[in-house]
Amino acid sequence: MIEIRIMQKLVFILLITISFVPLSYSQEVNYEFGLHSILSKDTPFWIQSNEFGKIEGKGINTIGEFKSNVFYEINSLISIGSELNLVSRISDKSTFFAPLANASIQVGKFQLIGGRFHFGRNQQLEELSTGSLTMSQNAVPIPRVMLKSDYISFPFTSDILQIKGTFAHGVVDGDRAVSKPFLHESSLYGKLQFSKFNVYLGLQRYAFWGGRSINPTYGKLPSSLDDFFRIVFSKEGGSNAPALDQDYKLGDQFGNYDGGVNWNTNKYKAEVYWQNFFEDKDGLTLKNYTDGLFGVAVKLKKTLLIDSFVYEHIYSKDQSGPLAADGTRGGPGGQDNYYNHSVYLTGWSYHQRSVGTPFFTSSKGRATNNFYFENNRVVVHHIGIGGSYNSNFRYSLKISTSNNYGNYRDRDYANANGFSYEFSPPKRQTSMVALVVYTPKSDSRFSVLSKVALDRGSLYPNSFGLQLGVTFKPTNSK
């Protein structure tokens, strides 16, 4: 852990240095200052979600923030960069923190990046999307170090067949059922690139491992070099691992299939995409094939009143079936219980926010005081629209409807103990937000934004919220 703290300090010193010290060669420096106020008793879903945890869910928020993004090209092969986002929030839970703080070096098609950074699907219209099933913008990014590559062409394929990948290691802080576990993250993508479209398919893997459990039965969990390789190669635990991990996989391992088709023409860009989340081997074999995210995104290259459109459908009710697993994989059992785990009880969350889709909601558990995902069986329909008016105004509109069914385990527990289950009948919810940004022609360094949002339904309190803000971007330095 000492080495990790030293690494974090070195990354922070490097990004601060890069962010503020002028450099002598080819560079691009972008700064932004912002001041925002959110007025609402209960902050609506689409004001607080997918904002890197910047906005508190209760009461008035006043937020001041600073952003910097620096790119420095040493030569045609090597470049370095940094990203810094500082946030000061006055609210019921006032805080000062850096949701984004990273430094990177790029050599050819390979990049090494460390700190807090967002690495999602990089889809065309992320601002209109609900976000990736595995890593959205909903929570503060988990600090980690990642080696990643751009797409690399296979020899003798005329650049048609390409691959790329990532490999990362991080440490998860915060109040958790297992303190300071490690995070492993890796991915591998293949793409067929043609003149006006491409087809891609990838596999993303994540794993919590190591750390110390509050449950004395588990205590300190395996974290040796041998255990690291067990995680990397998705192997079962050794003799010092919990019995469940010895029978199956070490740690909490899960992931996502991610595929789609992109078109790029003279008039528009479009993408049809699909994601399928898996918690175990059954998911890897697509036993839960009906679950996932399906989306369509279209972006016109000409600025119009409506020039951007996204539709997404999330379905996660199946989870490989309603019956609990009987200890044998590939059998009739299911109840994959997305984002939850029997040892890493806090699940796929960070500082009490879902790292993946914000439509999976958490609460404190029945037997412990730890957060877990009480609602991971959902059906969501989502539309996002964007456009411009008179070149001064840019707007976006997002509307989401969801049916929320809770999770299988809590449902079965309620039925077995003879009390009603809060998600039966399912909770219905509608959330929407409208954003307008005004940038005056006389001084494009300033922008004024207003955001209006509301929630109606039985999952969240009925609420109305207003966000007002102003941003200032000094003239970019190159």
Side-chain angles (χ1 to χ4, degrees), residues 9 36 42 54 63 66 78 89 133 172 204 221 269 301 313 385 402 422-423 425 467:
K9 290 179 180 178
H36 306 268
D42 295 292
K54 298 176 185 178
I63 297 173
F66 165 78
I78 302 173
R89 185 182 72 215
L133 289 181
V172 188
Q204 301 170 328
L221 293 160
K269 289 183 178 181
K301 294 186 176 180
H313 173 55
I385 298 172
S402 63
E422 64 172 312
F423 287 93
Q467 179 177 346

Side-chain angles (χ1 to χ4, degrees), residues 121-125 151 191-201 259-265 268-273 297:
R121 293 193 66 250
N122 295 321
Q123 62 204 68
Q124 298 172 15
L125 295 169
Y151 275 111
K191 180 174 72 169
L192 296 175
Q193 181 66 57
F194 302 99
S195 59
K196 292 187 177 181
F197 75 97
N198 65 67
V199 181
Y200 67 91
L201 179 63
V261 182
N262 280 294
W263 290 267
N264 188 358
T265 73
Y268 66 87
K269 289 183 178 181
E271 181 180 8
V272 176
Y273 48 97

Side-chain angles (χ1 to χ4, degrees), residues 14 23 27 39 48 58 123-124 126 131 162 190 202 217-218 259 279 331 342 346 351 354 375 401 460 465 470 475:
L14 178 59
L23 298 169
Q27 65 174 344
L39 307 174
Q48 63 171 298
K58 294 283 186 179
Q123 62 204 68
Q124 298 172 15
E126 192 168 31
Q162 303 176 27
T217 301
Y218 302 128
E279 281 279 0
S342 59
T346 316
H351 293 291
S354 167
N375 177 41
T401 63
Y460 301 116
V470 59
T475 303

Side-chain angles (χ1 to χ4, degrees), residues 17-125:
T17 301
I18 297 173
S19 296
F20 290 100
V21 176
L23 298 169
S24 57
Y25 296 106
S26 174
Q27 65 174 344
E28 183 174 340
V29 182
N30 298 288
Y31 298 126
E32 180 179 320
F33 301 88
L35 181 64
H36 306 268
S37 183
I38 294 95
L39 307 174
S40 181
K41 179 183 177 182
D42 295 292
T43 308
F45 177 84
W46 274 129
I47 284 184
Q48 63 171 298
S49 297
N50 287 351
E51 291 289 344
F52 294 121
K54 298 176 185 178
I55 300 172
E56 172 62 25
K58 294 283 186 179
I60 296 174
N61 286 243
T62 301
I63 297 173
E65 65 177 325
F66 165 78
K67 298 178 181 179
S68 75
N69 196 304
V70 177
F71 174 80
Y72 170 44
E73 186 178 81
I74 298 174
N75 55 44
S76 60
L77 183 66
I78 302 173
S79 60
I80 61 175
S82 76
E83 181 182 29
L84 182 62
N85 181 197
L86 300 176
V87 171
S88 177
R89 185 182 72 215
I90 301 173
S91 65
D92 289 345
K93 297 180 180 179
S94 297
T95 186
F96 177 80
F97 70 112
L100 298 172
N102 59 76
S104 64
I105 179 170
Q106 178 103 18
V107 180
K109 290 183 176 291
F110 294 89
Q111 183 185 57
L112 181 67
I113 183 169
R116 294 188 188 275
F117 57 91
H118 173 55
F119 183 73
R121 293 193 66 250
N122 295 321
Q123 62 204 68
Q124 298 172 15
L125 295 169

Side-chain angles (χ1 to χ4, degrees), residues 35 58 142 156 169 184 209 276 297 331 345 356 424 428 446-447:
L35 181 64
K58 294 283 186 179
I142 297 171
F156 312 113
H169 176 75
H184 170 74
W209 63 289
N276 175 262
L345 298 173
S424 181
R428 303 181 187 277
F446 288 91
S447 292

Side-chain angles (χ1 to χ4, degrees), residues 235-290:
K235 300 294 185 181
E236 69 279 356
S239 59
N240 61 337
L244 176 67
D245 289 5
Q246 295 182 42
D247 292 337
Y248 187 51
K249 300 287 186 183
L250 179 63
D252 179 13
Q253 301 192 35
F254 52 96
N256 196 43
Y257 286 109
D258 181 20
V261 182
N262 280 294
W263 290 267
N264 188 358
T265 73
N266 294 330
K267 294 183 178 182
Y268 66 87
K269 289 183 178 181
E271 181 180 8
V272 176
Y273 48 97
W274 163 82
Q275 291 186 318
N276 175 262
F277 190 83
F278 59 83
E279 281 279 0
D280 53 26
K281 289 180 180 178
D282 289 342
L284 271 171
T285 61
L286 294 178
K287 185 177 179 181
N288 63 337
Y289 68 93
T290 58

